[in-house]
Amino acid sequence: MLRALYSLLFRLALPFVLLQLWWSGRDNPGLRSHWRQRLGYLQSAPRQVIWIHAVSVGETIAAVPLVKALLRAYPDQQILMTAMTATGAARARALFGGRVQVAFSPYDTPGSVRRFLDRARPLALVILETELWPNMVGLTRARGIPVMLVNARLSARSARGYRRIGGLVRPMLASLDWIAAQAEEDARRFVDIGASAQTVTVTGSIKFDVEIDAGLRRQAASLRQALGDSRPVWIAASTHDGEDSQILAAHRAVLAHYPETLLILVPRHPERFEQVAVEVAAAGLKLARRARGDSAREAQVYLGDSMGELLLLYGAADLAFVAGSLIERGGHNPLEPAAWALPVITGPHVFNFEVIYDALQRGNGLFRVADSAGLADAVLALLADPVQRQLSGRNALAIVEAKRGVLENVLAGIVARLPF
């Protein structure tokens, strides 16, 4: 009954959703592209697929080791990756090229989902993290297709929100074949809001299996040489509106003590690249932009306005601030800088990754700050003490290495539930 009401409301809202898509596409045409796919009009697959759904860039990157493992295990099997955002879809295409089919996921109306299922013909649906849509899950499972939620996380805040619509959420969770939770806390919250305890397994996070190969290390070394071998370099990654001004204020404080320092500033969303460039100029700082191929030798801020290069940019820095945490966004994945053996700095708001941040803090690889002034103090302290900086970075890397191997268990769980 509640799902029928939800579907009706979504159908009524759909014209406004499409209008918003068109309006947002003024500055980012990628948002308008493939709008028919969002209504389920996917090009029919020549054979059945394993459907991997990763909502945006972060989940797409997290899915990379899993998709590669599935391709190794089933080299002749077609994999379809879907995303809700243009950046997530673009990242998947850049990572896999023609090896993986990439599409936008359908809006969660019954008609859109049915059309999508008719054309994609999935053998199984694997959803990353917590991207749960009632019709996507319910209609897929109604066709006898196994649905799995892997790398699953559920913050206390999200659990409270789901509990308010328990009549809609409980049947959806009960229909999942498997929930591979990142931590005990996540598993407990899923059960508390309606998942069957028999379907929930604590596997850990596949993000600990981040891959930094020799080729990427060479690229990072070359980039660092281009930025300046002898100057201090710090990175502020995945920034959101409301954070850049705080980060630039912190950087000005750092420059007062270490005038040669370079800040690599990487906005989370490409539609903000121009806005952030304007903010840097307004702050009176010398800017170089990666997308234009600018030299950073004389720059004070290097804008990471290229797509899909964050892992590379981390490798050119001495320490990392992971954004989405100075505002109530919930933080972003700190394991990529940790895998480069960088000390990690975060703001106070990390509820989306609380278990991972707690592990880094217990392992002495993390520095928490409250605001812009605290960020400046943390960066200055680490630049002033190379021994502590290197020790903190090694501690962060040790946490990553100690928890590797999750991917093998997650892959085994998926394979056990595939219908072949």
Side-chain angles (χ1 to χ4, degrees):
M1 177 62 183
L2 278 180
R3 199 173 101 195
L5 177 61
Y6 160 84
S7 298
L8 174 62
L9 292 175
F10 206 131
R11 284 191 182 104
L12 293 174
L14 189 58
F16 301 98
V17 172
L18 292 170
L19 181 62
Q20 175 62 33
L21 181 71
W22 176 85
W23 184 257
S24 300
R26 292 173 305 146
D27 300 321
N28 184 3
L31 292 174
R32 294 179 180 176
S33 62
H34 307 292
W35 65 270
R36 286 176 59 83
Q37 289 182 1
R38 299 175 189 266
L39 298 178
Y41 292 103
L42 181 73
Q43 182 178 357
S44 295
R47 51 203 169 104
Q48 289 185 288
V49 302
I50 298 175
W51 177 11
I52 309 288
H53 178 60
V55 58
S56 189
V57 174
E59 292 79 11
T60 299
I61 293 172
V64 168
L66 176 60
V67 173
K68 288 181 176 179
L70 283 168
L71 288 170
R72 287 192 298 268
Y74 303 102
D76 297 325
Q77 175 62 53
Q78 180 65 51
I79 292 178
L80 167 65
M81 287 194 72
T82 58
M84 289 294 292
T85 68
T87 51
R91 185 64 179 131
R93 291 190 187 97
L95 285 164
F96 295 109
R99 298 179 67 203
V100 170
Q101 183 183 354
V102 179
F104 287 93
S105 58
Y107 288 133
D108 203 44
T109 64
S112 298
V113 174
R114 288 192 185 103
R115 282 189 291 269
F116 188 92
L117 292 171
D118 289 342
R119 289 161 172 78
R121 300 189 301 129
L123 290 162
L125 168 57
V126 180
I127 301 171
L128 268 291
E129 301 204 357
T130 325
E131 187 63 14
L132 292 169
W133 294 93
N135 285 316
M136 177 189 285
V137 172
L139 293 174
T140 301
R141 195 66 193 87
R143 298 190 180 200
I145 299 166
V147 181
M148 294 162 265
L149 182 66
V150 305
N151 215 44
R153 58 183 172 89
L154 187 65
S155 69
R157 173 184 294 193
S158 295
R160 287 194 296 271
Y162 279 128
R163 198 172 286 113
R164 295 190 189 101
I165 51 172
L168 185 64
V169 170
R170 283 191 296 272
M172 177 173 58
L173 291 176
S175 67
L176 294 174
D177 292 84
W178 189 41
I179 299 176
Q182 293 189 20
E184 292 285 352
E185 294 90 336
D186 300 301
R188 174 178 50 77
R189 289 170 188 147
F190 276 111
V191 173
D192 285 347
I193 64 170
S196 168
Q198 286 70 38
T199 64
V200 181
T201 307
V202 179
T203 59
S205 173
I206 61 175
K207 291 184 177 182
F208 283 102
D209 289 282
V210 59
E211 299 176 352
I212 302 178
D213 59 29
L216 187 61
R217 292 186 184 277
R218 287 193 295 270
Q219 291 179 52
S222 177
L223 175 59
R224 180 53 188 262
Q225 186 175 21
L227 299 178
D229 281 333
S230 59
R231 68 191 307 195
V233 178
W234 69 291
I235 183 171
S238 298
T239 67
H240 291 259
D241 191 25
E243 289 188 299
D244 301 284
S245 58
Q246 298 184 65
I247 292 163
L248 293 173
H251 189 49
R252 285 197 300 270
V254 171
L255 290 171
H257 292 82
Y258 297 96
E260 297 301 313
T261 303
L262 178 68
L263 165 65
I264 303 175
L265 184 59
V266 189
R268 178 72 172 179
H269 299 116
E271 58 266 27
R272 297 189 58 248
F273 290 160
E274 294 301 325
Q275 172 193 332
V276 174
V278 170
E279 285 193 48
V280 174
L285 297 168
K286 297 176 184 176
L287 174 67
R289 298 184 64 164
R290 179 158 180 79
R292 295 194 310 216
D294 296 344
S295 170
R297 287 286 179 173
E298 303 300 321
Q300 295 166 309
V301 177
Y302 188 62
L303 185 62
D305 56 351
S306 55
M307 287 296 297
E309 292 194 311
L310 181 56
L311 191 57
L312 168 64
L313 295 173
Y314 276 131
D318 298 309
L319 56 101
F321 169 71
V322 182
S325 57
L326 286 175
I327 59 172
E328 291 192 31
R329 173 60 178 76
H332 291 295
N333 175 23
L335 296 177
E336 291 181 341
W340 279 105
L342 299 184
V344 178
I345 306 172
T346 181
H349 305 291
V350 293
F351 50 82
N352 284 333
F353 295 87
E354 56 188 343
V355 173
I356 292 175
Y357 277 100
D358 286 346
L360 285 172
Q361 184 156 20
R362 288 194 302 272
N364 297 315
L366 180 72
F367 299 84
R368 294 182 187 259
V369 301
D371 50 25
S372 177
L375 175 58
D377 289 343
V379 173
L380 286 168
L382 287 165
L383 292 181
D385 191 344
V387 174
Q388 178 60 45
R389 186 172 71 241
Q390 292 170 12
L391 176 61
S392 299
R394 288 197 299 270
N395 289 342
L397 175 60
I399 296 297
V400 174
E401 291 183 335
K403 294 182 179 292
R404 288 189 192 275
V406 172
L407 178 62
E408 184 178 346
N409 293 331
V410 171
L411 179 64
I414 293 171
V415 168
R417 292 164 176 85
L418 291 176
F420 57 82

